[in-house]
Amino acid sequence: MKEQLKKIEELAKAELASCTEIKSLDELRIRYLGKKGELTAILKQMGKLSAEERPVVGQLANKVRADIEEALSEKLSALKASAQAAKIAAESIDITLPGKPQTIGKLHPLSKVENEIRDIFMGMGFNIADGPEVDDDYHVFEALNLPPDHPARDTQDTFYINDKILLRTQTSSVQVHVMETQKPPIRIISPGRVYRSDAVDATHSPLFHQIEGLVVDKGIKMSDLKGTLEMLMKKLYGNNCKLRFRPHHFPFTEPSCEVDIMCFNCGGKGCSMCKDEGYIELLGAGMVHPKVLEGCGIDSSIYSGFAFGLGLERMVMGRYSINDLRLLYENDVRFLEQF
């Protein structure tokens, strides 16, 4: 039996020496040391031994078990160390390689100029107002003194959801919401997206951005409107920019005017961008019509006000000397990263 125990130890150690996988170690342990293992099978035969041989064989069996367990533990540690080394080698990083550059995003030029305009007006004491892009006919048209037969209500110019709900054609609707809920004095601008059924060209888009302004207080005059707009344009384009005020008609203002700025592209000489006029239309403006004030619950005999609506895209084109509005919507990174 002693020879059998020594042979089991020799065979176990020989197999351990050639073992290359951790999974195989567990199989070896079960084969030699498990309940049905070879060492256990030998120990079950100890009842056949004499009383003098049992302690000697038992001591030897315990030593063989201990030696095999120690060899198993050493082999397991060696295999784990080898696997860890292989993993480290496979996942090693060459620290001499240059790093991968991370591209940092930037604000879109529309957002940049809108933020500038916001800051300018906030510096003049204006608040920022917001309103729904999908609005009702009353706030977009009726409350602004636009009768049911007005051309702007035609489906060729306006995107209707149904007979009474539509995509706002101008952020003037926000002015109505503000006047309905706030008493004068009022001094707000309302930036946002608007929608019109326009053909796409160098200066038009079916989706674009407007910034409407509204001031209502006692003693507001046309000169206040003119001074406010001139201050805005000089802050944006410098003191050399030139504005042109032309009489016009808007149902919601009286008197009304169109405001043009000298062409950014040709400097007033005439080109394709300004259609050879030398000036580009920027916005419509005027004194708030008394009927609009009264409709919002404001006494027009006490209060007066001015309103204006400028196209953000055209402001951006002037700010960065861009000659085609479509460039702002094509998402060409080569173009946008210039800003």
Side-chain angles (χ1 to χ4, degrees), residues 202-203 263-266 270-276 279-280 314 317-318 321-324:
T203 55
C263 180
F264 320 116
N265 191 49
C266 66
C271 65
S272 59
M273 183 176 174
C274 63
K275 300 177 182 178
D276 294 320
Y279 281 81
I280 295 175
R314 294 185 183 183
M317 292 168 70
S321 300
I322 299 170
N323 60 8
D324 195 322

Side-chain angles (χ1 to χ4, degrees), residues 66-123:
D67 288 347
I68 293 175
E69 287 178 345
E70 183 180 357
L72 281 167
S73 178
E74 290 176 356
K75 189 65 176 181
L76 178 62
S77 298
L79 289 178
K80 284 184 176 180
S82 177
Q84 181 69 13
K87 184 178 180 182
I88 291 174
E91 297 177 354
S92 62
I93 300 173
D94 186 351
I95 61 174
T96 65
L97 291 174
K100 296 180 181 179
Q102 298 295 318
T103 303
I104 300 176
K106 299 179 181 179
L107 285 175
H108 191 280
L110 286 170
S111 297
K112 290 184 68 173
V113 174
E114 180 180 324
N115 289 342
E116 287 184 47
I117 294 173
R118 284 171 177 255
D119 289 341
I120 292 170
F121 277 110
M122 290 174 69

Side-chain angles (χ1 to χ4, degrees), residues 8-22 24-26 28-29 31-32 67-68 70-79 82:
I8 288 173
E9 183 178 1
E10 290 173 0
L11 288 173
K13 288 183 177 180
E15 287 193 52
L16 281 172
S18 62
C19 185
T20 58
E21 295 181 358
I22 294 176
S24 299
L25 282 182
D26 195 49
L28 283 172
R29 181 187 62 78
R31 188 191 314 163
Y32 287 101
D67 288 347
I68 293 175
E70 183 180 357
L72 281 167
S73 178
E74 290 176 356
K75 189 65 176 181
L76 178 62
S77 298
L79 289 178
S82 177

